[in-house]
Amino acid sequence: MMNWTDLLQHYGYFAIFIGTLLEGETVLILGAYAVHQHIFHFWVLILVAMVGGFIGDQFYYQIGVRYGQKILQSKPQLAQKFTQASSIIDHYPVLTILLMRFAWGLRTILPISIGIKAYPLWKYMLINLLACFIWAFVIVSVGLQISHWLHVFWASVLSYHHDIYIVLAVVACIVLARIIYALFIHHKHSP
């Protein structure tokens, strides 16, 4: 079974595109690591992530427009989430669209809800394009910082790797001795 790292190695930007059609943060953080390693280019990664996120959001919006009412009628738990999302959309439509890519757990229901509410398509597309750019830029930038600090951390730790192995071995022995002791006491007091 392939994981996202294997997919990035084999399929490059195409894997980023597919990953950002869905949720996207994990694959985008891995993409940022690839930028840090000079495998990917920063702005190309942003563009691919932006397009993938945008197409995914448009797909969910169209589901809301075309099938939203049927879905709400057949799934009462989604109807409740729609009612919650509707309140947010009614009060802050532009802000909702700008921030929905950061709303983990609501990422699919928000564009579907916006489609159900028949928010104007062209307005949605323009705001969502900007939202996808902001999302991609922020996630890749954060991923680059994480990659940088992990490299700094590992570079400082690796110079002490022999000492770390000794400490880990001692801690493992203590934990193992504690487990054996607890099992012995438990077995001794068992009827």
Side-chain angles (χ1 to χ4, degrees), residues 38-86:
H38 306 288
I39 298 167
F40 286 174
H41 298 283
F42 179 81
W43 289 110
V44 175
L45 179 62
I46 298 289
L47 180 65
V48 170
M50 187 175 102
V51 170
F54 179 78
I55 290 172
D57 290 346
Q58 298 311 308
F59 173 75
Y60 291 122
Y61 174 88
Q62 290 301 322
I63 286 176
V65 168
R66 297 173 199 272
Y67 309 107
Q69 292 302 327
K70 291 178 188 174
I71 293 170
L72 291 179
Q73 291 168 358
S74 67
K75 307 234 184 239
Q77 72 274 16
L78 286 180
Q80 183 182 3
K81 284 187 178 183
F82 172 72
T83 303
Q84 293 170 339
S86 286

Side-chain angles (χ1 to χ4, degrees), residues 76-147:
Q77 72 274 16
L78 286 180
Q80 183 182 3
K81 284 187 178 183
F82 172 72
T83 303
Q84 293 170 339
S86 286
S87 175
I88 296 168
I89 294 166
D90 288 340
H91 289 89
Y92 311 102
V94 173
L95 190 60
T96 300
I97 296 167
L98 284 173
L99 297 177
M100 73 183 177
R101 293 219 50 90
F102 295 98
W104 298 284
L106 298 174
R107 184 154 322 140
T108 55
I109 194 67
L110 284 173
I112 290 172
S113 298
I114 292 166
I116 292 171
K117 296 188 77 51
Y119 193 80
L121 176 63
W122 291 105
K123 191 173 181 182
Y124 173 73
M125 288 175 70
L126 289 173
I127 297 167
N128 190 38
L129 192 61
L130 176 62
C132 289
F133 170 76
I134 292 168
W135 170 77
F137 186 83
V138 167
I139 298 300
V140 170
S141 297
V142 167
L144 280 171
Q145 286 301 310
I146 290 170
S147 296

